[in-house]
Amino acid sequence: MSSISIIGSGNMASAIGALALKGGNTVEVIGRDADKARALARALGDGATTGTWGAAPTGEIVILAVLFAGAVPVVSEYGEALADKIVVDITNPFNADATGLAVGHDTSVAQMVAEAAPASTHVVKAFNTLFSHVLGAGDPVDVFMAGDDPHAKARVAAFVESLGHRPRDAGDLSMAHWLEGAGLLEMGLARAGLGFNFSLGVNA
Amino acid sequence: MSSISIIGSGNMASAIGALALKGGNTVEVIGRDADKARALARALGDGATTGTWGAAPTGEIVILAVLFAGAVPVVSEYGEALADKIVVDITNPFNADATGLAVGHDTSVAQMVAEAAPASTHVVKAFNTLFSHVLGAGDPVDVFMAGDDPHAKARVAAFVESLGHRPRDAGDLSMAHWLEGAGLLEMGLARAGLGFNFSLGVNA
């Protein structure tokens, strides 16, 4: 069981929040728009709470469920309020037509978030290769992860298992670049005829 | 049924050649080292032939099964001998410790091969996300492909199906960069504990 704070109130926040509660975790929803955060917490039910924007989240694991362009600004704004937290970056930095990444070729949103966060914050990339409706559909899927801190990755892996999904460790945080690229690859597969009801996974 | 020429005589050449013959295709093996090519053709049996290095391959589809550093030089050396062919680049341009790509951030071996090849040659990236022993094990796996010419991709897709595997079109040739990145992602997964008996695939 984990304590989870979710910054954001969109489709991924909703899908992860619902699965988290079902899996016996506690969930706090935080939004810059407090009304939206309250609405999501109410919709989730099951004891979901709301937190105060900018204050230290109550969760051990903080899911950064904002649009990619907001990830670094939000983490910068939070500053020391994220000290000692595990921050999970789920974003996909697609360019306008989802044919390329809108970040530098030797970095990733996750690495940029790690640079912006306090030194005691551990950043893990995860969930970005999953469409929210596929993540929430119930069938077990592979959740690829990348991060530099083994303990933080183990905590996120346990959380992923509580959701009924399979954690798949891809290595250190520099692999986040290729996980973001895998998100792009999925967009290519979708456009080339596969549609959006699938996920990349491991066949072993 | 396709006519296939394989340039190379390593593990991938052997795995693709064996499956191709089993699937009712014709196979020509071509090597700079003619003895090695002959040895592979003999080992494959089933009517596999050998071709002359540098001469026009007999196959409609030419599998470029060389190490990544050799791909562009070989295609340049072949020059017009590859006119009108479908060239399938299967390479992975990993750096020395397989933590990054050894090609530029806005290209791929496949795109560099296309630039080096005659204008009438159609290049398709495929097979690079598959370890040779997984490809050859018999269970159906996903073969990701990228390429600019729909007809060429359709011919490669039909060939992939003849092998008992599933073609997965990821889009145009620029997606080859992210397929090469997916190969790198697999190396990260392997190192992080998954080992080498898996492939990336689509769960739909």
mmCIF file of all heavy atoms in Angstrom, chain A residues 7-46:
data_model
loop_
_atom_site.group_PDB
_atom_site.id
_atom_site.type_symbol
_atom_site.label_atom_id
_atom_site.label_comp_id
_atom_site.label_asym_id
_atom_site.label_seq_id
_atom_site.Cartn_x
_atom_site.Cartn_y
_atom_site.Cartn_z
ATOM 1 N N ILE A 7 -0.749 15.289 -8.940
ATOM 2 C CA ILE A 7 -0.851 16.685 -9.359
ATOM 3 C C ILE A 7 -1.421 16.688 -10.772
ATOM 4 O O ILE A 7 -0.784 16.217 -11.709
ATOM 5 C CB ILE A 7 0.519 17.389 -9.325
ATOM 6 C CG1 ILE A 7 1.090 17.363 -7.898
ATOM 7 C CG2 ILE A 7 0.391 18.828 -9.825
ATOM 8 C CD1 ILE A 7 2.451 18.047 -7.754
ATOM 9 N N GLY A 8 -2.658 17.175 -10.888
ATOM 10 C CA GLY A 8 -3.337 17.156 -12.182
ATOM 11 C C GLY A 8 -4.714 16.553 -12.030
ATOM 12 O O GLY A 8 -4.992 15.853 -11.044
ATOM 13 N N SER A 9 -5.567 16.824 -12.996
ATOM 14 C CA SER A 9 -6.931 16.297 -12.885
ATOM 15 C C SER A 9 -7.479 15.879 -14.244
ATOM 16 O O SER A 9 -8.679 15.873 -14.477
ATOM 17 C CB SER A 9 -7.855 17.335 -12.233
ATOM 18 O OG SER A 9 -7.689 18.609 -12.858
ATOM 19 N N GLY A 10 -6.588 15.508 -15.148
ATOM 20 C CA GLY A 10 -7.002 15.065 -16.484
ATOM 21 C C GLY A 10 -7.265 13.568 -16.535
ATOM 22 O O GLY A 10 -7.442 12.910 -15.501
ATOM 23 N N ASN A 11 -7.254 13.042 -17.768
ATOM 24 C CA ASN A 11 -7.599 11.631 -17.974
ATOM 25 C C ASN A 11 -6.626 10.676 -17.289
ATOM 26 O O ASN A 11 -7.036 9.655 -16.737
ATOM 27 C CB ASN A 11 -7.619 11.313 -19.473
ATOM 28 C CG ASN A 11 -8.786 11.979 -20.179
ATOM 29 O OD1 ASN A 11 -9.758 12.379 -19.532
ATOM 30 N ND2 ASN A 11 -8.684 12.108 -21.490
ATOM 31 N N MET A 12 -5.331 10.985 -17.334
ATOM 32 C CA MET A 12 -4.363 10.095 -16.700
ATOM 33 C C MET A 12 -4.480 10.181 -15.183
ATOM 34 O O MET A 12 -4.371 9.166 -14.489
ATOM 35 C CB MET A 12 -2.932 10.421 -17.158
ATOM 36 C CG MET A 12 -2.579 9.891 -18.533
ATOM 37 S SD MET A 12 -2.623 8.065 -18.703
ATOM 38 C CE MET A 12 -1.050 7.608 -17.941
ATOM 39 N N ALA A 13 -4.696 11.388 -14.648
ATOM 40 C CA ALA A 13 -4.892 11.545 -13.205
ATOM 41 C C ALA A 13 -6.082 10.704 -12.763
ATOM 42 O O ALA A 13 -6.030 9.992 -11.747
ATOM 43 C CB ALA A 13 -5.117 13.014 -12.861
ATOM 44 N N SER A 14 -7.137 10.762 -13.552
ATOM 45 C CA SER A 14 -8.352 10.029 -13.230
ATOM 46 C C SER A 14 -8.126 8.515 -13.296
ATOM 47 O O SER A 14 -8.530 7.764 -12.401
ATOM 48 C CB SER A 14 -9.451 10.463 -14.206
ATOM 49 O OG SER A 14 -10.611 9.704 -14.003
ATOM 50 N N ALA A 15 -7.471 8.066 -14.361
ATOM 51 C CA ALA A 15 -7.255 6.617 -14.530
ATOM 52 C C ALA A 15 -6.335 6.067 -13.443
ATOM 53 O O ALA A 15 -6.625 5.016 -12.841
ATOM 54 C CB ALA A 15 -6.656 6.339 -15.912
ATOM 55 N N ILE A 16 -5.256 6.768 -13.164
ATOM 56 C CA ILE A 16 -4.320 6.287 -12.136
ATOM 57 C C ILE A 16 -4.966 6.385 -10.760
ATOM 58 O O ILE A 16 -4.845 5.472 -9.929
ATOM 59 C CB ILE A 16 -2.991 7.090 -12.191
ATOM 60 C CG1 ILE A 16 -2.261 6.787 -13.506
ATOM 61 C CG2 ILE A 16 -2.106 6.762 -10.987
ATOM 62 C CD1 ILE A 16 -1.000 7.616 -13.731
ATOM 63 N N GLY A 17 -5.696 7.472 -10.500
ATOM 64 C CA GLY A 17 -6.358 7.624 -9.208
ATOM 65 C C GLY A 17 -7.349 6.501 -8.930
ATOM 66 O O GLY A 17 -7.367 5.928 -7.828
ATOM 67 N N ALA A 18 -8.164 6.186 -9.921
ATOM 68 C CA ALA A 18 -9.170 5.138 -9.734
ATOM 69 C C ALA A 18 -8.518 3.782 -9.461
ATOM 70 O O ALA A 18 -8.923 3.048 -8.542
ATOM 71 C CB ALA A 18 -10.079 5.062 -10.965
ATOM 72 N N LEU A 19 -7.494 3.455 -10.252
ATOM 73 C CA LEU A 19 -6.795 2.175 -10.045
ATOM 74 C C LEU A 19 -6.087 2.159 -8.688
ATOM 75 O O LEU A 19 -6.042 1.118 -8.012
ATOM 76 C CB LEU A 19 -5.766 1.944 -11.148
ATOM 77 C CG LEU A 19 -6.284 1.578 -12.536
ATOM 78 C CD1 LEU A 19 -5.107 1.530 -13.515
ATOM 79 C CD2 LEU A 19 -7.014 0.240 -12.518
ATOM 80 N N ALA A 20 -5.529 3.299 -8.306
ATOM 81 C CA ALA A 20 -4.789 3.372 -7.038
ATOM 82 C C ALA A 20 -5.721 3.082 -5.854
ATOM 83 O O ALA A 20 -5.375 2.311 -4.949
ATOM 84 C CB ALA A 20 -4.138 4.747 -6.883
ATOM 85 N N LEU A 21 -6.895 3.684 -5.888
ATOM 86 C CA LEU A 21 -7.854 3.458 -4.793
ATOM 87 C C LEU A 21 -8.312 2.008 -4.778
ATOM 88 O O LEU A 21 -8.382 1.373 -3.715
ATOM 89 C CB LEU A 21 -9.044 4.403 -4.951
ATOM 90 C CG LEU A 21 -8.717 5.878 -4.649
ATOM 91 C CD1 LEU A 21 -9.805 6.793 -5.178
ATOM 92 C CD2 LEU A 21 -8.520 6.078 -3.134
ATOM 93 N N LYS A 22 -8.601 1.482 -5.947
ATOM 94 C CA LYS A 22 -9.031 0.084 -6.053
ATOM 95 C C LYS A 22 -7.951 -0.850 -5.502
ATOM 96 O O LYS A 22 -8.245 -1.906 -4.935
ATOM 97 C CB LYS A 22 -9.319 -0.227 -7.521
ATOM 98 C CG LYS A 22 -10.158 -1.469 -7.762
ATOM 99 C CD LYS A 22 -10.470 -1.604 -9.254
ATOM 100 C CE LYS A 22 -10.875 -3.047 -9.581
ATOM 101 N NZ LYS A 22 -10.748 -3.328 -11.007
ATOM 102 N N GLY A 23 -6.697 -0.441 -5.672
ATOM 103 C CA GLY A 23 -5.574 -1.260 -5.223
ATOM 104 C C GLY A 23 -5.209 -1.038 -3.763
ATOM 105 O O GLY A 23 -4.188 -1.563 -3.294
ATOM 106 N N GLY A 24 -6.021 -0.242 -3.049
ATOM 107 C CA GLY A 24 -5.808 -0.097 -1.606
ATOM 108 C C GLY A 24 -4.837 0.997 -1.215
ATOM 109 O O GLY A 24 -4.397 1.057 -0.050
ATOM 110 N N ASN A 25 -4.504 1.871 -2.134
ATOM 111 C CA ASN A 25 -3.634 3.002 -1.821
ATOM 112 C C ASN A 25 -4.483 4.212 -1.406
ATOM 113 O O ASN A 25 -5.671 4.281 -1.692
ATOM 114 C CB ASN A 25 -2.809 3.374 -3.065
ATOM 115 C CG ASN A 25 -2.065 2.184 -3.642
ATOM 116 O OD1 ASN A 25 -1.042 1.773 -3.112
ATOM 117 N ND2 ASN A 25 -2.600 1.596 -4.717
ATOM 118 N N THR A 26 -3.852 5.153 -0.731
ATOM 119 C CA THR A 26 -4.543 6.418 -0.476
ATOM 120 C C THR A 26 -4.205 7.391 -1.590
ATOM 121 O O THR A 26 -3.102 7.363 -2.144
ATOM 122 C CB THR A 26 -4.118 7.029 0.879
ATOM 123 O OG1 THR A 26 -2.733 7.365 0.822
ATOM 124 C CG2 THR A 26 -4.364 6.046 2.023
ATOM 125 N N VAL A 27 -5.180 8.258 -1.900
ATOM 126 C CA VAL A 27 -5.001 9.184 -3.025
ATOM 127 C C VAL A 27 -5.373 10.604 -2.615
ATOM 128 O O VAL A 27 -6.470 10.842 -2.103
ATOM 129 C CB VAL A 27 -5.870 8.752 -4.231
ATOM 130 C CG1 VAL A 27 -5.841 9.836 -5.322
ATOM 131 C CG2 VAL A 27 -5.388 7.430 -4.796
ATOM 132 N N GLU A 28 -4.427 11.496 -2.865
ATOM 133 C CA GLU A 28 -4.680 12.935 -2.718
ATOM 134 C C GLU A 28 -4.598 13.565 -4.108
ATOM 135 O O GLU A 28 -3.640 13.314 -4.837
ATOM 136 C CB GLU A 28 -3.600 13.539 -1.808
ATOM 137 C CG GLU A 28 -3.682 15.046 -1.656
ATOM 138 C CD GLU A 28 -2.451 15.642 -0.953
ATOM 139 O OE1 GLU A 28 -1.314 15.376 -1.431
ATOM 140 O OE2 GLU A 28 -2.617 16.344 0.048
ATOM 141 N N VAL A 29 -5.584 14.376 -4.459
ATOM 142 C CA VAL A 29 -5.588 15.057 -5.760
ATOM 143 C C VAL A 29 -5.259 16.532 -5.538
ATOM 144 O O VAL A 29 -5.829 17.173 -4.648
ATOM 145 C CB VAL A 29 -6.963 14.935 -6.448
ATOM 146 C CG1 VAL A 29 -6.936 15.634 -7.817
ATOM 147 C CG2 VAL A 29 -7.372 13.477 -6.595
ATOM 148 N N ILE A 30 -4.334 17.039 -6.320
ATOM 149 C CA ILE A 30 -3.903 18.432 -6.189
ATOM 150 C C ILE A 30 -3.995 19.102 -7.558
ATOM 151 O O ILE A 30 -3.515 18.551 -8.556
ATOM 152 C CB ILE A 30 -2.440 18.517 -5.703
ATOM 153 C CG1 ILE A 30 -2.253 17.695 -4.425
ATOM 154 C CG2 ILE A 30 -2.041 19.972 -5.481
ATOM 155 C CD1 ILE A 30 -0.799 17.525 -4.016
ATOM 156 N N GLY A 31 -4.630 20.257 -7.595
ATOM 157 C CA GLY A 31 -4.698 20.995 -8.856
ATOM 158 C C GLY A 31 -4.509 22.477 -8.623
ATOM 159 O O GLY A 31 -4.865 22.988 -7.558
ATOM 160 N N ARG A 32 -3.950 23.137 -9.625
ATOM 161 C CA ARG A 32 -3.866 24.593 -9.546
ATOM 162 C C ARG A 32 -5.292 25.165 -9.505
ATOM 163 O O ARG A 32 -5.562 26.134 -8.812
ATOM 164 C CB ARG A 32 -3.117 25.127 -10.761
ATOM 165 C CG ARG A 32 -2.655 26.564 -10.609
ATOM 166 C CD ARG A 32 -2.103 27.109 -11.928
ATOM 167 N NE ARG A 32 -0.868 26.474 -12.359
ATOM 168 C CZ ARG A 32 0.359 26.859 -11.969
ATOM 169 N NH1 ARG A 32 0.498 27.856 -11.127
ATOM 170 N NH2 ARG A 32 1.429 26.236 -12.409
ATOM 171 N N ASP A 33 -6.187 24.496 -10.232
ATOM 172 C CA ASP A 33 -7.611 24.818 -10.164
ATOM 173 C C ASP A 33 -8.228 23.915 -9.091
ATOM 174 O O ASP A 33 -8.506 22.736 -9.325
ATOM 175 C CB ASP A 33 -8.247 24.567 -11.539
ATOM 176 C CG ASP A 33 -9.717 24.924 -11.583
ATOM 177 O OD1 ASP A 33 -10.399 24.851 -10.525
ATOM 178 O OD2 ASP A 33 -10.201 25.280 -12.675
ATOM 179 N N ALA A 34 -8.448 24.472 -7.906
ATOM 180 C CA ALA A 34 -8.900 23.661 -6.767
ATOM 181 C C ALA A 34 -10.263 23.030 -7.024
ATOM 182 O O ALA A 34 -10.550 21.929 -6.534
ATOM 183 C CB ALA A 34 -8.935 24.523 -5.500
ATOM 184 N N ASP A 35 -11.113 23.714 -7.797
ATOM 185 C CA ASP A 35 -12.435 23.157 -8.096
ATOM 186 C C ASP A 35 -12.309 21.863 -8.899
ATOM 187 O O ASP A 35 -13.003 20.883 -8.639
ATOM 188 C CB ASP A 35 -13.272 24.181 -8.887
ATOM 189 C CG ASP A 35 -13.743 25.319 -7.999
ATOM 190 O OD1 ASP A 35 -13.731 25.149 -6.754
ATOM 191 O OD2 ASP A 35 -14.108 26.389 -8.542
ATOM 192 N N LYS A 36 -11.422 21.882 -9.888
ATOM 193 C CA LYS A 36 -11.224 20.677 -10.706
ATOM 194 C C LYS A 36 -10.678 19.530 -9.855
ATOM 195 O O LYS A 36 -11.071 18.368 -10.010
ATOM 196 C CB LYS A 36 -10.243 20.969 -11.855
ATOM 197 C CG LYS A 36 -10.905 21.639 -13.051
ATOM 198 C CD LYS A 36 -9.952 21.629 -14.248
ATOM 199 C CE LYS A 36 -10.504 22.488 -15.387
ATOM 200 N NZ LYS A 36 -9.490 22.751 -16.419
ATOM 201 N N ALA A 37 -9.745 19.853 -8.968
ATOM 202 C CA ALA A 37 -9.164 18.827 -8.094
ATOM 203 C C ALA A 37 -10.249 18.240 -7.192
ATOM 204 O O ALA A 37 -10.345 17.015 -7.012
ATOM 205 C CB ALA A 37 -8.025 19.417 -7.262
ATOM 206 N N ARG A 38 -11.081 19.103 -6.616
ATOM 207 C CA ARG A 38 -12.176 18.625 -5.762
ATOM 208 C C ARG A 38 -13.150 17.754 -6.554
ATOM 209 O O ARG A 38 -13.618 16.727 -6.075
ATOM 210 C CB ARG A 38 -12.921 19.816 -5.143
ATOM 211 C CG ARG A 38 -12.392 20.220 -3.755
ATOM 212 C CD ARG A 38 -13.311 21.196 -3.049
ATOM 213 N NE ARG A 38 -13.455 22.459 -3.776
ATOM 214 C CZ ARG A 38 -12.641 23.508 -3.607
ATOM 215 N NH1 ARG A 38 -11.642 23.452 -2.738
ATOM 216 N NH2 ARG A 38 -12.835 24.605 -4.314
ATOM 217 N N ALA A 39 -13.443 18.188 -7.790
ATOM 218 C CA ALA A 39 -14.371 17.410 -8.624
ATOM 219 C C ALA A 39 -13.804 16.020 -8.912
ATOM 220 O O ALA A 39 -14.540 15.016 -8.855
ATOM 221 C CB ALA A 39 -14.640 18.155 -9.940
ATOM 222 N N LEU A 40 -12.501 15.944 -9.195
ATOM 223 C CA LEU A 40 -11.908 14.629 -9.456
ATOM 224 C C LEU A 40 -11.913 13.781 -8.189
ATOM 225 O O LEU A 40 -12.254 12.588 -8.228
ATOM 226 C CB LEU A 40 -10.473 14.761 -10.004
ATOM 227 C CG LEU A 40 -9.735 13.429 -10.204
ATOM 228 C CD1 LEU A 40 -10.528 12.465 -11.091
ATOM 229 C CD2 LEU A 40 -8.341 13.660 -10.805
ATOM 230 N N ALA A 41 -11.566 14.382 -7.040
ATOM 231 C CA ALA A 41 -11.552 13.626 -5.785
ATOM 232 C C ALA A 41 -12.955 13.082 -5.484
ATOM 233 O O ALA A 41 -13.121 11.932 -5.056
ATOM 234 C CB ALA A 41 -11.046 14.506 -4.634
ATOM 235 N N ARG A 42 -13.952 13.912 -5.698
ATOM 236 C CA ARG A 42 -15.336 13.473 -5.474
ATOM 237 C C ARG A 42 -15.693 12.333 -6.427
ATOM 238 O O ARG A 42 -16.298 11.335 -6.021
ATOM 239 C CB ARG A 42 -16.305 14.644 -5.706
ATOM 240 C CG ARG A 42 -16.931 15.202 -4.425
ATOM 241 C CD ARG A 42 -18.156 16.069 -4.714
ATOM 242 N NE ARG A 42 -17.986 17.013 -5.816
ATOM 243 C CZ ARG A 42 -17.508 18.262 -5.686
ATOM 244 N NH1 ARG A 42 -17.174 18.717 -4.479
ATOM 245 N NH2 ARG A 42 -17.389 19.041 -6.732
ATOM 246 N N ALA A 43 -15.310 12.485 -7.704
ATOM 247 C CA ALA A 43 -15.625 11.446 -8.689
ATOM 248 C C ALA A 43 -14.923 10.131 -8.344
ATOM 249 O O ALA A 43 -15.482 9.048 -8.532
ATOM 250 C CB ALA A 43 -15.215 11.916 -10.085
ATOM 251 N N LEU A 44 -13.717 10.237 -7.819
ATOM 252 C CA LEU A 44 -12.977 9.025 -7.437
ATOM 253 C C LEU A 44 -13.607 8.388 -6.198
ATOM 254 O O LEU A 44 -13.647 7.165 -6.067
ATOM 255 C CB LEU A 44 -11.505 9.365 -7.153
ATOM 256 C CG LEU A 44 -10.654 9.759 -8.362
ATOM 257 C CD1 LEU A 44 -9.281 10.250 -7.915
ATOM 258 C CD2 LEU A 44 -10.504 8.577 -9.328
ATOM 259 N N GLY A 45 -14.098 9.215 -5.269
ATOM 260 C CA GLY A 45 -14.686 8.705 -4.032
ATOM 261 C C GLY A 45 -13.682 7.924 -3.206
ATOM 262 O O GLY A 45 -12.479 8.224 -3.246
ATOM 263 N N ASP A 46 -14.197 6.952 -2.435
ATOM 264 C CA ASP A 46 -13.292 5.994 -1.789
ATOM 265 C C ASP A 46 -12.263 6.659 -0.878
ATOM 266 O O ASP A 46 -11.162 6.132 -0.688
ATOM 267 C CB ASP A 46 -12.530 5.231 -2.883
ATOM 268 C CG ASP A 46 -12.775 3.719 -2.789
ATOM 269 O OD1 ASP A 46 -13.338 3.271 -1.773
ATOM 270 O OD2 ASP A 46 -12.380 3.012 -3.723
#
